[in-house]
Amino acid sequence: MSTESIAIKTSGPLQGTVHLVGAKNAVLVIMASLILTKGKNKLTNVPFSEDVFHMIRLLESLGAVIEQDKEQRTLFIDTTKILSAQIGADIMKKMRASILVMGPLLARFGTADIAMPGGCVLGTRPINFHLNAFSKMGATYNQHDDSLTAEAKELRAVDHVLEYPSVGATENIMMASVLMQGKTRIVNAAIEPEVLDLIQALNKMGAQITVEPPASIVIKGVSLLKPIEHHILHDRLEAGTLLLAAAITGGEINLPDAPVHSMEVFLAKLEEMGHEITCGEDGQGVHLKATKNPQAISFKTMPYPGFPTDLQAPMMAALCLASGKSVIHETVFENRLLHVRELQKMGAQRAIDGQPATIVGVDELYGASVIATDIRAGAALVIAGLVAQGDTSMTGVHHLKRGYDDLIPKLASLGGNIKLVDE
Ligand code: UD1
């Protein structure tokens, strides 16, 4: 059992410049996609978060040979010796993104012998879209307790109409479809920037994938994919988290790598609160100067390009101290409001309730002992701790570490009074 906690004291306005790492949600799926290749791949701008280490262990358990160069943020992944399509339950259960190996394993080996994935507790998080799509392509699967085996002598190209633009299902269908004959269409596909980064990586391998408006993905099958070098796109969610940390402390921050065009709804909401946002003209780089009197705002979380569900919790922390009443409707994950209870411990108790969550801004938050229940809840509590009066101690640190590489040192470098405690 981990005894780690994060200790946070009231901090002044955060100030400074931070460089972003690559997006966790892109690197995980791109690592999984390398199963489709045979040879030496190189990924740069890799965030070395815990989920990435899980994916490294998962690929190694299949036979991949992986070298890490943390200083250069680079992974060398040799997939030549991947000979197995079987993954132990202990590895699968560490994160939900493990399910993303199912498509590539089916495409390369015609079989996948895995377990049901684990991950953050964000409601039921079913995988029915993934499994329905694989059966439509001709795979049969057997689910017994926690084990999940799928077989497909030959996968066939079909059209998929997703009832919801699921990120993981879109990615899994694409990866299962690239190596077969014929044309596959995914209608109502997810078009998150991380999905587009996967498409770029697959096309570098030799795949033929195009995106058609408004949200369809067309895959023309090819017979062979080659190893690649790929630079992971910058993490819009790390950018959003850092902007909110600066905003809540009344600070000023410069993120020269921030991908402006992937963050427009979120940035518009920061402006609506009164914060001053300046964006780089070439679509890269965001500067935020916080207002001293932030105003309440309301929003719904939506698939991209809407307000991202992953920034809902950190934004809620900021809204606890805004003037007026904010309303947040979490529409993507029904259970992604567990941070509410923890923010209430910090003084937002009369301010937040229910779904949609109504937040009436308070003058001050207070330090407390709080627990992170998922990656972004952890980010929300850390941000709240920076402005809370008194000391905050957050446990459940492993959740935060799953999604962020070095958030704590970055916040400290901006003037945050925050450190990791391991007793
Ligand atoms: C990915 C991201 C996660 C982000 C989420 C939504 C990764 C590793 N994680 O998660 O950070 O919050 O997209 O942007 O990229 N659903 C079903 N059946 C399915 C699949 C999904 O009902 O088979 C539902 C989910 O329960 C959820 C919604 O669809 O309510 C969206 O989930 P999805 O887009 O699939 O999220 P993930 O790919 O798991």
Side-chain angles (χ1 to χ4, degrees):
M1 221 20 214
S2 164
T3 52
E4 277 183 345
S5 61
I6 292 175
I8 315 156
K9 290 183 188 295
T10 322
S11 308
L14 297 195
Q15 306 271 359
T17 294
V18 178
H19 287 281
L20 302 173
V21 290
K24 168 193 83 95
N25 287 351
V27 75
L28 290 175
V29 69
I30 290 172
M31 287 172 76
S33 77
L34 300 180
I35 293 174
L36 295 162
T37 69
K38 244 187 190 176
K40 292 182 178 167
N41 296 275
K42 181 178 172 188
L43 300 181
T44 50
N45 202 27
V46 171
F48 282 97
S49 61
E50 282 303 317
D51 272 3
V52 169
F53 291 120
H54 289 319
M55 190 56 95
I56 290 174
R57 284 191 281 275
L58 189 158
L59 293 177
E60 284 177 340
S61 79
L62 292 171
V65 178
I66 303 182
E67 264 178 64
Q68 306 170 29
D69 182 342
K70 288 193 196 129
E71 235 160 72
Q72 296 297 318
R73 297 205 170 281
T74 299
L75 276 177
F76 299 91
I77 303 182
D78 187 345
T79 50
T80 315
K81 293 195 178 135
I82 293 191
L83 299 170
S84 157
Q86 191 177 33
I87 298 168
D90 49 332
I91 294 181
M92 278 301 291
K93 294 220 154 294
K94 295 273 193 223
M95 63 174 175
R96 177 170 168 88
S98 314
I99 193 66
L100 297 173
V101 296
M102 198 168 175
L105 285 176
L106 274 175
R108 179 159 167 185
F109 297 104
T111 176
D113 185 356
I114 61 177
M116 294 296 282
C120 285
V121 197
L122 303 177
T124 49
R125 297 195 87 173
I127 53 167
N128 54 322
F129 301 159
H130 304 240
L131 298 182
N132 292 345
F134 294 145
S135 352
K136 209 171 164 194
M137 292 164 73
T140 52
Y141 63 89
N142 249 315
Q143 199 184 330
H144 190 69
D145 293 331
D146 265 359
S147 86
L148 178 63
T149 320
E151 297 276 345
K153 282 210 177 66
E154 201 177 341
L155 291 170
R156 58 174 179 269
V158 288
D159 283 358
H160 301 269
V161 180
L162 295 181
E163 65 181 72
Y164 189 90
S166 153
V167 171
T170 301
E171 295 170 336
N172 237 341
I173 297 169
M174 271 198 290
M175 293 186 288
S177 308
V178 276
L179 273 179
M180 64 193 185
Q181 289 193 341
K183 187 160 107 177
T184 300
R185 273 175 82 230
I186 312 173
V187 177
N188 196 22
I191 47 163
E192 265 66 4
E194 297 77 15
V195 176
L196 302 185
D197 205 30
L198 170 66
I199 293 178
Q200 235 191 61
L202 290 169
N203 282 345
K204 274 187 199 167
M205 291 176 200
Q208 290 187 22
I209 306 176
T210 47
V211 181
E212 292 182 353
S216 292
I217 293 177
V218 177
I219 305 133
K220 281 192 200 144
V222 296
S223 54
L224 188 73
L225 295 174
K226 57 179 191 297
I228 50 161
E229 278 192 32
H230 187 74
H231 192 75
I232 304 295
L233 88 168
H234 291 298
D235 195 339
R236 65 192 167 112
L237 304 174
E238 184 193 30
T241 306
L242 289 164
L243 288 172
L244 285 166
I248 201 171
T249 59
E252 188 166 353
I253 191 171
N254 186 31
L255 303 176
D257 317 306
V260 177
H261 299 313
S262 309
M263 305 177 65
E264 297 194 271
V265 173
F266 172 73
L267 294 175
K269 285 289 162 188
L270 284 175
E271 277 183 328
E272 196 183 322
M273 288 174 78
H275 301 298
E276 201 181 303
I277 302 283
T278 317
C279 297
E281 276 172 18
D282 56 354
Q284 194 171 317
V286 174
H287 180 272
L288 175 141
K289 189 171 188 307
T291 172
K292 291 201 165 44
N293 184 18
Q295 299 300 306
I297 55 156
S298 294
F299 64 90
K300 272 187 186 177
T301 63
M302 309 266 275
Y304 186 81
F307 192 103
T309 171
D310 295 78
L311 290 176
Q312 176 262 112
M315 179 56 107
M316 185 186 286
L319 293 178
C320 286
L321 292 170
S323 301
K325 185 169 94 176
S326 301
V327 180
I328 300 180
H329 198 148
E330 172 56 61
T331 74
V332 180
F333 289 109
E334 77 273 19
N335 207 19
R336 199 169 215 172
L337 285 167
L338 295 178
H339 45 282
V340 167
R341 191 184 56 205
E342 302 307 302
L343 287 170
Q344 284 172 331
K345 287 186 195 162
M346 299 179 75
Q349 66 267 41
R350 270 162 287 133
I352 310 176
D353 59 32
Q355 160 78 303
T358 301
I359 302 133
V360 179
V362 290
D363 291 337
E364 274 181 329
L365 292 173
Y366 301 94
S369 291
V370 288
I371 306 169
T373 47
D374 67 72
I375 298 173
R376 309 301 168 184
L381 297 171
V382 160
I383 288 173
L386 292 170
V387 275
Q389 295 304 312
D391 295 356
T392 296
S393 168
M394 188 190 86
T395 51
V397 179
H398 59 285
H399 286 295
L400 190 78
K401 284 181 157 182
R402 285 187 41 217
Y404 293 93
D405 182 351
D406 47 10
L407 184 66
I408 305 305
K410 279 179 176 168
L411 291 173
S413 77
L414 294 167
N417 199 334
I418 180 165
K419 64 176 184 201
L420 187 66
V421 181
D422 194 358
E423 278 163 6

